[in-house]
Amino acid sequence: MAKKKKVGDIYRFDFDEKYHCYCQILEANDVCFFDFYSDSEDDDIDRIVIKNEIFRIWLDRDCFKSSKWKFICNKELLEMRKKVLNKYNKPIGSDYYQIYTNGKFIRAKREDCIGLEYTAAWTELGVTQRLNYSFFGKELPSHVKKDIPFYN
């Protein structure tokens, strides 16, 4: 039986043949990925969890079923990670935007959504592509570009 995910759980994700990174389960199903990657087997988790986040997203429930994700430990969330961040959505075929806040969607203007994450559960492949972009500048496929925070 798979381990039940808990707020504070930290996972190592082997996103590359050589490199791995770490993420932490937050409130409201958010998962933050730390601005850190390594090829070492001796990473200091206490130093990693204080690093900045490169992004905070929802993950598809099948991600953790892969052998590329390894449970490391559970750590109390830092204060800055206890805040649940808003996300945005633009329903297919619509001409309006929504902000997901406090478990509800509210109508919004496009400019209100700038910099917010899209309300989507990311697959392992999408996360891998986004990490390769974030860490190594590798080009993102167009279907992934549309789901990252957009700017003017």
Side-chain angles (χ1 to χ4, degrees), residues 107-126:
R107 286 228 180 176
K109 294 182 244 159
R110 181 185 190 279
E111 51 270 17
D112 297 329
C113 301
I114 293 173
L116 299 180
E117 285 286 345
Y118 190 68
T119 54
W122 287 74
T123 65
E124 183 175 280
L125 176 60

Side-chain angles (χ1 to χ4, degrees), residues 87-140:
K87 293 178 174 44
Y88 86 93
N89 188 25
K90 184 176 185 301
I92 294 172
S94 71
D95 61 351
Y96 63 90
Y97 290 81
Q98 299 174 316
I99 292 180
Y100 184 75
T101 183
N102 298 321
K104 296 182 221 164
F105 285 102
I106 57 171
R107 286 228 180 176
K109 294 182 244 159
R110 181 185 190 279
E111 51 270 17
D112 297 329
C113 301
I114 293 173
L116 299 180
E117 285 286 345
Y118 190 68
T119 54
W122 287 74
T123 65
E124 183 175 280
L125 176 60
V127 173
T128 298
Q129 291 167 331
R130 194 155 170 192
L131 289 166
N132 279 315
Y133 170 77
S134 297
F135 292 136
F136 311 121
K138 292 184 180 177
E139 184 66 24
L140 286 169

Side-chain angles (χ1 to χ4, degrees), residues 3 8 22 24 33 37 47 54 56-57 66 68 73 81 84-85 90-92 98 100 115 119-120 138 146 152:
K3 178 188 179 317
Y22 296 88
Q24 187 173 30
F33 285 79
Y37 67 92
R47 293 184 67 154
I54 52 172
R56 185 187 290 205
I57 57 174
S66 163
K68 294 180 178 184
C73 65
R81 297 213 168 86
V84 177
L85 302 180
K90 184 176 185 301
I92 294 172
Q98 299 174 316
Y100 184 75
T119 54
K138 292 184 180 177
K146 72 175 182 58
N152 294 332

Side-chain angles (χ1 to χ4, degrees), residues 2-60:
K3 178 188 179 317
K4 183 161 173 43
K5 312 301 174 279
K6 296 187 306 193
V7 170
D9 283 354
I10 295 175
Y11 286 82
R12 171 181 153 158
F13 175 44
D14 297 329
F15 70 95
D16 182 88
E17 289 180 15
K18 182 176 180 182
Y19 298 110
H20 57 268
C21 66
Y22 296 88
C23 63
Q24 187 173 30
I25 309 292
L26 308 179
E27 298 287 347
N29 296 314
D30 277 347
V31 178
C32 77
F33 285 79
F34 301 106
D35 191 2
F36 175 87
Y37 67 92
S38 174
D39 61 356
S40 171
E41 296 300 320
D42 297 317
D43 298 323
D44 182 349
I45 295 300
D46 291 325
R47 293 184 67 154
I48 294 167
V49 298
I50 61 174
K51 296 204 173 279
N52 290 331
E53 301 172 23
I54 52 172
F55 50 83
R56 185 187 290 205
I57 57 174
W58 292 336
L59 289 179
D60 183 85

